[in-house]
Amino acid sequence: MKLRPLKDARQESRVFGQRALIGFIGIVLALGILGLRFWSLQVLHNKEYQARSDANRILTRPLAPARGLIYDRNGVLLAENVAAFRLEITPEQVGDMDALLADLRTVIGVSDEDVSRFRALARSKRSYQSIPLRMKLGEEEIARFSVNRWRFRGVDVVPYLTRYYPKGAEFGHLVGYVGRIDANDVERLDAARYAGTTHAGKTGIERAYEKLLHGEPGYELVEVNADRRPLRVLERVAPIPGRNLYLSIDSRIQQAGVAAFAGRPGASVAIDPRNGEVLAMISMPGFDPNLFVNGISQADYDALLESPDKPLLDRALRGSYVPGSTIKPFLAMAGLELGFRKPDDTILSTGEFFIPGQKRGYRDVRAGGHGRVDLVQSLAQSVNTYYYALALDMGIDAFSDYMARFGFGQATGIDLIGERAGVLPSRQWKRANLNAAWYPGETVIAGIGQGFWVVTPIQLAHGLATLANAGVGHSPHLLRATQEGIGGDVINQPEVPAQTPIIKHASNWDAVRAGMIAVVNGPTGTARTMGDGFPYVIAGKSGTAERYSRTDETWTHISQVAIERHQVLFEAFTPAESPRIAVMVVLEAGRGGGRDAAPIVRTMMDAWLGSEPAGQGNEPVTAPATEQRH
Amino acid sequence: MDAWLARWRHRLPHLIRRPRIDLPLAGALALLATIGFFTQYSASDLNTGQAMAQGTRLLLGTFLLVVVSRIPPLTLRNWTPWLYAGSVMLLVLVALLGEGRGAHRWLDLHFVRFQPSELLKLTMPMMAAWMLNQRPLPPSWTTLAMVAALIVLPAGLIAEQPDLGTALLVGASGLFAVFLAGLAWWRIGLIVASVLAAMPVAWHFLHEYQRNRVRMLFNPESDPLGLGWHIIQSKIAVGSGGLWGKGWHHSTQSRLEFLPEHTTDFIFSVFAEEWGLIGVLLLLALYVFIIGRSLWIAANAKDTYSRLLAGAISMSFFVYVMVNGGMITGILPVVGVPLPLISYGGTSTVSILATFGVLMSIHAQRRRVAA
């Protein structure tokens, strides 16, 4: 055992005495300085502060700015402000809060949720700040309160603007909603800017563009008497309203798409391939954002949460889907560009594909196979064998490397919060997430968009738009222009820069496009009827992915499989020669992409067609001050 | 009954000669609490409910003071590592599941909500004293490193909550113990120099709101609506008090509610406005007396543990006064530190009085030679 130096008790005591004395002298000196400071304030500068104190009869009251409005690209109103009344309490002026709340409840409907929210907020605010208890008072309630007003010191009815979403559920996910600022938001938002604000954006555009929409608060200098009653307003600095937003969304396309889903769970995204503007972004089922604005009731919230269709999930942004055959055009492109295939090369489809030396077979959709097919037929008939072989020839590294250029496996950077990255199968991904080696069989099924593949609808739409624009991508975005106050100048957002072109040889692009045209227009296409009667040529590709893996090895034809087992997709763009709209649709249950998803795409394209004369090109937004009725 | 009387007749002269409670210190604390009570009453605009609440806390605190004063310092010393470990555990718990005010400080035990960081105000100096008592003094670098680790863990957790004020108090109480243990001056110089050098790095770790408070100190007028408001209004309150003050319950700054937090962190401003420089100096003198008397008790303590503990407690009491006074007069940044026994606030009033219970206990076991 190590010997400890002996402790010298007397020495320690002596040292302590010295130190205590020095410390005490230091303390007296420091407090002396503090005393001097008081002397300086109270004696030297007394006159100055006395004067300021006498003048200090002026209270500063924050004025909340009006929130910016949200329009679609044609000036159709998606979010507006309407006048309403709320009940506010200033805790400091209330003696017994419990008694007051109990008393208030005899006059006005106040739920337990209102009270608990109020109390949580009261803890995070200063007691001299008034805190909302109930929003959106009815006229009868205001009348009843006014009669009983004398009983409630520190309680006021305050007029305010509340948010209203005229299109309701059709834009619920996209536009999002504002909600009452709660204790969590207090940390996120700048207290000084939100002093008079009760609501902040919680989801969607409302959340993503909170900064633009909120505006700058103003204030009022109010002279008060000794009892703090306001005498007059001395100065008023008006708040600067938030900016109005013009989205790239065309509400006609959006609404037509929502109607075409007929309530079936799924998602759709339409993008203008020339610039990345999102024309429609649908997540089904939707929800009414108006429910959330003034506090959703527990029953409504439970209903949304417990619904098996998950209406609160923004599928377009965050939904995870197996892309299936919709990735075939991208893979075909990779095969041509990287020199693994020529457009005229043919592959024999026998109905089953084998990796050399392995026993396990990979099936084609049609029993007995499609025979000898070239690139165009491989797309038109969605021939799996063609892509099994192509993926295997390329190898997983070249495969994932090329697919990444279309944006798979990474967030697209759309101007919304909470986007998911999806999964692009790669050796690195598998190592990092499953810590396992890569097998050739996994390359084969990756070739038909199965296996580890996960895409979000916005991701697939972005990839499609990039392909449609001859390999020149634009990060998808929703904000098109902003406006300073109604009637103010509309300022277009800067154009989103083009990403590095992916396709080097125009002839390769022509070949893939010919295949996609054949899907819709060819005699063997998987979506033969969807282009009927449409004035432009549509190019597309279907996708049908199994939601559950098969448990047995018996071969089953697609049409015999129950609808519930398939998730179906369709992607298309038009006009094929110079695409101006690219649409993807995914349905979580369906028979086949061409059969069930393609009609929704067609409906949306029809709606786009109706808007074409007006929205012909890429002209700047003009400023319609009010909603246009259609 | 007779036996009881006889026992008291026997004990009474002894109690008067050698009271367990140090009467001058107790008297000063009582005076301070009384001043606090009436300042509260005025600052809350004669709110009886708030005055009653403060009165209740003073009674509870006094009760705790008496209870703690009955625990011998030796027992305290034996408990120290456990008490310290327990309170740090609670801090960790609060970091994981605490709630309140946007900052995670409170632990809700359903029957009572309290801030575990308050416990550290006592267990931190206890632990520092315990550790130093185990080691040869004056402290070596090794000892210093060990104590520093014991300080940084809780202080860091508290600063992370974020509660800079309490972190400061807890940290200071540990450092005072090291100072009183006789840490060599050249070592102190070296540490101070390196702390000054590390300042820019520390700035990097402050929360944005904490940085704003420091910036506001240098230019409060730049933001008369936000943080600068506190400082400006507080200075107006103090400055307009003048030499003699406006008189009790004549603080217009507080009554017209220009002064935020006027019953808690900014109550000193109300006091200064109502009682003027004379009142302020008398109050400061009272604090100096309490600190001086506490240090005297410390110096007469029986062993090193008691001495260091009592000394650290006394000196941290100064930190409260300095940080709060500096804040309301605009020479230190806005940090939420209460003015002891004057500010409204349950946990702080009770914990301060309990801390003085420890001093009383040490006093009761003082060295015979000094008696």
Side-chain angles (χ1 to χ4, degrees):
Chain A
M1 193 181 152
K2 216 176 92 181
L3 226 101
R4 233 183 228 170
L6 278 177
K7 282 177 70 78
D8 181 345
R10 289 179 63 184
Q11 169 71 7
E12 283 178 9
S13 171
R14 206 172 49 76
V15 168
F16 180 88
Q18 283 172 3
R19 285 298 167 97
L21 190 63
I22 294 167
F24 185 66
I25 292 169
I27 286 171
V28 171
L29 281 179
L31 290 180
I33 291 171
L34 187 59
L36 276 178
R37 174 66 178 173
F38 274 100
W39 173 75
S40 149
L41 289 176
Q42 298 191 288
V43 177
L44 274 190
H45 297 284
N46 173 242
K47 285 235 156 55
E48 183 190 318
Y49 286 114
Q50 188 63 54
R52 287 180 74 175
S53 169
D54 289 341
N56 223 347
R57 290 280 159 95
I58 299 153
L59 282 182
T60 313
R61 275 199 206 151
L63 298 173
R67 197 171 175 84
L69 308 180
I70 302 175
Y71 301 99
D72 84 342
R73 67 189 297 126
N74 301 311
V76 177
L77 202 53
L78 303 180
E80 63 176 320
N81 302 317
V82 295
F85 291 89
R86 67 171 176 247
L87 199 70
E88 287 194 351
I89 302 182
T90 311
E92 200 171 52
Q93 295 177 15
V94 176
D96 184 347
M97 185 63 78
D98 295 329
L100 177 96
L101 290 176
D103 205 9
L104 254 182
R105 285 179 151 186
T106 62
V107 178
I108 279 177
V110 179
S111 70
D112 290 342
E113 291 161 35
D114 289 330
V115 172
S116 62
R117 190 171 12 225
F118 169 80
R119 288 195 191 277
L121 213 51
R123 275 203 292 278
S124 67
K125 288 219 175 190
R126 307 256 185 248
S127 63
Y128 58 86
Q129 289 176 318
S130 63
I131 295 159
L133 174 70
R134 250 291 306 277
M135 312 303 289
K136 270 204 157 170
L137 297 172
E139 272 180 37
E140 203 183 315
E141 286 179 309
I142 296 171
R144 258 205 313 268
F145 176 77
S146 304
V147 174
N148 291 288
R149 218 208 130 114
W150 55 273
R151 279 161 57 193
F152 304 113
R153 186 170 180 251
V155 185
D156 289 300
V157 170
V158 182
Y160 72 109
L161 291 172
T162 188
R163 203 64 158 167
Y164 178 66
Y165 302 101
K167 302 286 179 202
E170 287 167 343
F171 289 86
H173 286 291
L174 176 64
V175 173
Y177 53 83
V178 296
R180 272 201 251 174
I181 293 175
D182 57 31
N184 293 332
D185 297 322
V186 171
E187 289 181 48
R188 177 165 64 89
L189 306 169
D190 176 1
R193 286 186 68 216
Y194 282 79
T197 308
T198 54
H199 286 66
K202 302 274 185 178
T203 64
I205 291 286
E206 292 273 29
R207 169 80 186 262
Y209 285 108
E210 173 65 29
K211 277 210 172 89
L212 289 179
L213 288 164
H214 179 257
E216 291 303 321
Y219 60 91
E220 228 173 25
L221 298 180
V222 191
E223 189 182 348
V224 295
N225 66 11
D227 290 328
R228 212 170 169 254
R229 293 274 157 253
L231 298 177
R232 63 198 169 110
V233 176
L234 296 175
E235 194 187 325
R236 189 170 187 280
V237 174
I240 302 165
R243 298 186 78 87
N244 298 333
L245 305 186
Y246 285 88
L247 304 184
S248 57
I249 293 291
D250 188 320
S251 58
R252 288 168 291 192
I253 304 175
Q254 176 97 3
Q255 287 173 302
V258 169
F261 269 90
R264 290 171 289 175
S268 169
V269 176
I271 293 180
D272 185 336
R274 295 168 302 175
N275 49 31
E277 288 182 354
V278 178
L279 299 171
M281 195 163 172
I282 299 167
S283 174
M284 292 298 288
F287 62 88
D288 184 359
N290 291 304
L291 289 176
F292 285 87
V293 175
N294 289 300
I296 189 167
S297 74
Q298 196 63 46
D300 285 344
Y301 193 55
D302 287 346
L304 287 173
L305 270 189
E306 282 158 22
S307 164
D309 286 340
K310 297 188 183 155
L312 291 180
L313 170 67
D314 187 349
R315 291 168 158 84
L317 186 69
R318 298 172 55 76
S320 299
Y321 297 100
V322 176
S325 303
T326 54
I327 67 121
K328 285 176 182 169
F330 302 97
L331 182 53
M333 203 68 235
L336 297 176
E337 284 279 304
L338 300 179
F340 290 96
R341 289 288 182 279
K342 292 206 164 34
D344 302 330
D345 288 348
T346 56
I347 292 279
L348 179 65
S349 154
T350 58
E352 214 163 0
F353 173 83
F354 294 93
I355 300 175
Q358 288 189 15
K359 275 198 181 139
R360 186 184 159 183
Y362 299 87
R363 289 177 204 91
D364 261 318
V365 170
R366 187 187 295 167
H370 303 264
R372 205 156 262 290
V373 293
D374 63 359
L375 176 86
V376 168
Q377 279 311 307
S378 77
L379 285 169
Q381 301 180 43
S382 201
V383 179
N384 286 350
T385 295
Y386 188 94
Y387 294 94
Y388 292 144
L390 178 53
L392 201 60
D393 288 353
M394 285 175 80
I396 188 61
D397 295 327
F399 175 91
S400 48
D401 191 52
Y402 197 85
M403 287 300 185
R405 300 191 206 172
F406 285 102
F408 294 114
Q410 54 203 292
T412 62
I414 190 173
D415 43 352
L416 286 172
I417 292 167
E419 190 187 358
R420 287 213 173 130
V423 177
L424 170 60
S426 74
R427 226 184 271 280
Q428 295 82 349
W429 179 87
K430 197 180 175 195
R431 178 57 68 193
N433 290 276
L434 301 171
N435 193 25
W438 188 265
Y439 297 108
E442 291 162 341
T443 309
V444 170
I445 55 170
I448 58 159
Q450 304 270 0
F452 300 121
W453 268 101
V454 173
V455 298
T456 63
I458 183 68
Q459 223 172 22
L460 187 55
H462 169 54
L464 176 68
T466 304
L467 189 68
N469 202 34
V472 181
H474 297 268
S475 198
H477 55 276
L478 288 157
L479 184 62
R480 193 152 186 252
T482 65
Q483 180 186 34
E484 207 163 301
I486 292 170
D489 290 341
V490 174
I491 300 157
N492 282 307
Q493 289 292 105
E495 267 179 44
V496 171
Q499 293 162 353
T500 325
I502 298 169
I503 301 171
K504 292 200 183 72
H505 306 288
S507 59
N508 290 340
W509 163 227
D510 291 338
V512 173
R513 175 163 50 188
M516 293 180 75
I517 291 172
V519 170
V520 179
N521 303 284
T524 54
T526 54
R528 283 188 285 281
T529 56
M530 78 102 44
D532 292 356
F534 198 77
Y536 299 121
V537 176
I538 298 174
K541 181 72 195 78
S542 58
T544 305
E546 290 178 22
R547 295 167 76 190
Y548 313 105
S549 58
R550 292 178 199 187
T551 48
D552 58 314
E553 287 292 301
T554 53
W555 193 88
T556 327
H557 192 271
I558 281 215
S559 63
Q560 296 163 342
V561 176
I563 288 175
E564 283 70 30
R565 275 183 53 175
H566 289 97
Q567 161 198 295
V568 300
L569 301 99
F570 200 77
E571 60 187 355
F573 54 85
T574 195
E577 56 281 8
S578 64
R580 295 205 293 274
I581 181 170
V583 186
M584 75 72 57
V585 163
V586 57
L587 273 175
E588 289 182 5
R591 292 159 294 186
R595 250 173 109 172
D596 290 323
I600 300 177
V601 173
R602 171 62 191 267
T603 309
M604 291 170 73
M605 284 184 169
D606 286 338
W608 167 78
L609 204 59
S611 71
E612 260 296 81
Q616 188 65 247
N618 201 13
E619 72 283 346
V621 183
T622 44
T626 51
E627 183 179 357
Q628 290 175 353
R629 305 270 169 203
H630 302 286
Chain B
M1 191 70 184
D2 277 354
W4 186 81
L5 266 180
R7 205 164 66 232
W8 269 101
R9 207 169 297 130
H10 172 73
R11 281 181 65 180
L12 205 57
H14 181 72
L15 272 178
I16 289 166
R17 230 176 25 250
R18 282 188 65 82
R20 301 187 66 86
I21 299 284
D22 180 47
L23 291 178
L25 183 56
L29 289 174
L31 182 58
L32 191 58
T34 312
I35 294 172
F37 182 80
F38 282 103
T39 311
Q40 282 284 314
Y41 193 43
S42 164
S44 65
D45 206 1
L46 309 188
N47 182 332
T48 332
Q50 200 165 333
M52 281 332 232
Q54 182 69 5
T56 315
R57 282 161 190 163
L58 284 173
L59 285 179
L60 178 65
T62 310
F63 172 73
L64 259 180
L65 185 151
V66 173
V67 169
V68 173
S69 73
R70 310 292 297 192
I71 307 172
L74 188 64
T75 313
L76 281 179
R77 193 170 91 193
N78 291 336
W79 289 354
T80 294
W82 303 107
L83 290 174
Y84 173 84
S87 49
V88 171
M89 293 272 283
L90 286 176
L91 269 188
V92 174
L93 215 59
V94 129
L96 295 179
L97 42 84
E99 52 180 73
R101 278 225 177 195
H104 290 261
R105 309 181 178 172
W106 296 87
L107 198 60
D108 197 346
L109 298 181
H110 294 290
F111 59 96
V112 62
R113 267 160 46 96
F114 77 108
Q115 304 183 23
S117 52
E118 289 288 334
L119 295 176
L120 265 301
K121 287 180 180 173
L122 184 53
T123 55
M124 181 71 249
M126 282 171 81
M127 190 62 199
W130 184 87
M131 179 55 82
L132 290 164
N133 185 49
Q134 306 277 314
R135 315 274 307 172
L137 297 179
S140 62
W141 281 125
T142 324
T143 311
L144 189 63
M146 290 163 84
V147 179
L150 292 172
I151 295 173
V152 167
L153 176 63
L157 281 169
I158 297 168
E160 196 51 36
Q161 288 182 348
D163 183 354
L164 209 54
T166 309
L168 191 74
L169 288 166
V170 167
S173 66
L175 291 177
F176 284 139
V178 179
F179 170 79
L180 291 168
L183 184 66
W185 287 107
W186 65 271
R187 289 183 180 173
I188 295 177
L190 214 60
I191 291 164
V192 169
S194 44
V195 165
L196 285 179
M199 283 289 206
V201 183
W203 176 257
H204 193 72
F205 284 101
L206 287 183
H207 283 258
E208 193 53 35
Y209 84 93
Q210 289 164 335
R211 289 188 203 172
N212 281 337
R213 287 176 178 187
V214 179
R215 289 191 194 115
M216 247 0 106
L217 181 68
F218 298 107
N219 191 9
E221 319 278 334
S222 71
D223 180 25
L225 276 176
L227 284 167
W229 169 265
H230 291 49
I231 299 175
I232 293 173
Q233 295 302 331
S234 171
K235 277 161 73 177
I236 292 176
V238 173
S240 65
L243 188 60
W244 296 101
K246 295 178 182 173
W248 186 70
H249 195 223
H250 280 83
S251 158
T252 55
Q253 282 293 103
S254 153
R255 200 147 41 87
L256 293 182
E257 286 149 21
F258 290 111
L259 199 57
E261 305 273 350
H262 51 250
T263 63
T264 53
D265 289 353
F266 281 87
I267 198 164
F268 204 177
S269 319
V270 179
F271 181 87
E273 188 181 0
E274 295 185 348
W275 299 106
L277 182 63
I278 300 295
V280 168
L281 291 182
L282 287 174
L283 187 65
L284 289 181
L286 186 56
Y287 279 121
V288 167
F289 174 80
I290 290 173
I291 295 165
R293 182 72 189 174
S294 304
L295 281 174
W296 181 82
I297 289 177
N300 287 313
K302 206 160 63 175
D303 57 27
T304 303
Y305 170 79
S306 309
R307 206 156 41 229
L308 293 179
L309 173 56
I313 289 173
S314 321
M315 289 183 71
S316 3
F317 199 64
F318 151 76
V319 178
Y320 282 96
V321 182
M322 192 65 204
V323 171
N324 187 277
M327 167 181 81
I328 67 133
T329 53
I331 52 175
L332 291 177
V334 177
V335 171
V337 168
L339 188 64
L341 295 186
I342 309 252
S343 286
Y344 182 81
T347 342
S348 128
T349 305
V350 174
S351 74
I352 286 168
L353 284 172
T355 307
F356 276 101
V358 173
L359 269 171
M360 296 301 183
S361 150
I362 290 167
H363 170 75
Q365 304 272 322
R366 61 190 172 276
R367 275 185 302 190
R368 303 281 154 180
V369 281

